[in-house]
Amino acid sequence: MSAEHLDAKLEERLPVGCDGLPIVLSTHGLTKDFKKLRAVDNLDISVCRGDVFGFLGPNGCGKTTTIRLIFGLTYPTAGYVEVLDHKVPGDRTEALRHLGGFVDDPMFYNNMTARRNLRMLGQMNGEVSEERVSEVLEIVGLTDRAGSKVGSYSHGMRQRLGIALALIHQPDVIVLDEPTSGLDPQGMKDVRELIRELGKQGTTVFLSSHLLHEVELVCNRAAIMSRGHLVVQGPVADLHPASTTVKVLTGNQTRAWEVIRGLAAPGTFRQDESYIVVESGEAFVPEMVRRLVADNVDVLAVVPAVEQGLEDMFLELTGGDEQERSAGGTPVGAGGGPK
């Protein structure tokens, strides 16, 4: 929902976060234990009005558990969620009035049309006009298939219908749990473009994903999870390795290696598959390129670390964590992993 839908008095009471915008969804010391497993550990995140917020981490790191806690579908061991001015679980009913979305895959009646599904499921949480049903079907690009039974829908169409249901009551925040999971490339593209467009229109989106590229494409802010811990959060543009490392690809890597060895300090360059990786200051790069060209070595690519994207940071922070992928969290009382 865009800013004008927020009650002015309520907005004045909200804490201020990112770039002076009010925080509309936050967690405070949020913790969830399952017997001896800690799935979410002392989680503090803040989502501001208008954010497309990426909640990023490997499968099993606690993302879906966190979303269940946000919706009040499971009770926290400690801490709470705050949606605008309402705490979950204490004020869950009022909090849910400001939320839309789904956990896991959205569920529909296969023998009913998309329009009837939206009308019936939407009315479980309040009145829904035919005009609003038509509006959300148009937003997600399903107007032409509104009269088709959902059983005939592709997985991507069902995901878009799930987003339509999330939007139907014009919530302040929509929460989407892996909305591109299981989609083919075209379906992933369609859903990403829809989420990107919602963000441009001012809708606040909380997007859970394990796909780095997806978060970079559609989100302006993100948090990275590992073993139930928050590792880092902030603007997506800032979540890159703080490094001047470059990857070099040339037409003659053997000769390029000799040239770079004559320029770079020992231990600052290495081979990485087909690339030569050089860990030197920015002033080194122009000189390296000049020397390579002077030695008749064709320079095909020089890729700065910042253009390698979130993947380097993600792997650095969560890589090799097989326990996380298989068990879904940290044993209760165990250390390990950044807070």
Side-chain angles (χ1 to χ4, degrees), residues 11 18 52 58 243 260:
E11 185 166 339
C18 344
V52 178
S243 171
I260 291 171

Side-chain angles (χ1 to χ4, degrees), residues 42-97:
N42 197 31
L43 179 64
D44 293 311
I45 57 173
S46 298
V47 180
C48 292
R49 188 188 67 211
D51 275 347
V52 178
F53 188 94
F55 194 47
L56 179 64
N59 290 329
C61 73
K63 300 190 304 294
T64 295
T65 299
T66 299
I67 290 177
R68 291 183 178 278
L69 290 164
I70 289 172
F71 281 118
L73 299 175
T74 188
Y75 203 88
T77 304
Y80 62 93
V81 177
E82 192 163 10
V83 182
L84 279 77
D85 208 25
H86 307 288
K87 294 182 180 180
V88 181
D91 199 9
R92 177 177 181 265
T93 301
E94 286 301 313
L96 289 180
R97 296 183 190 278

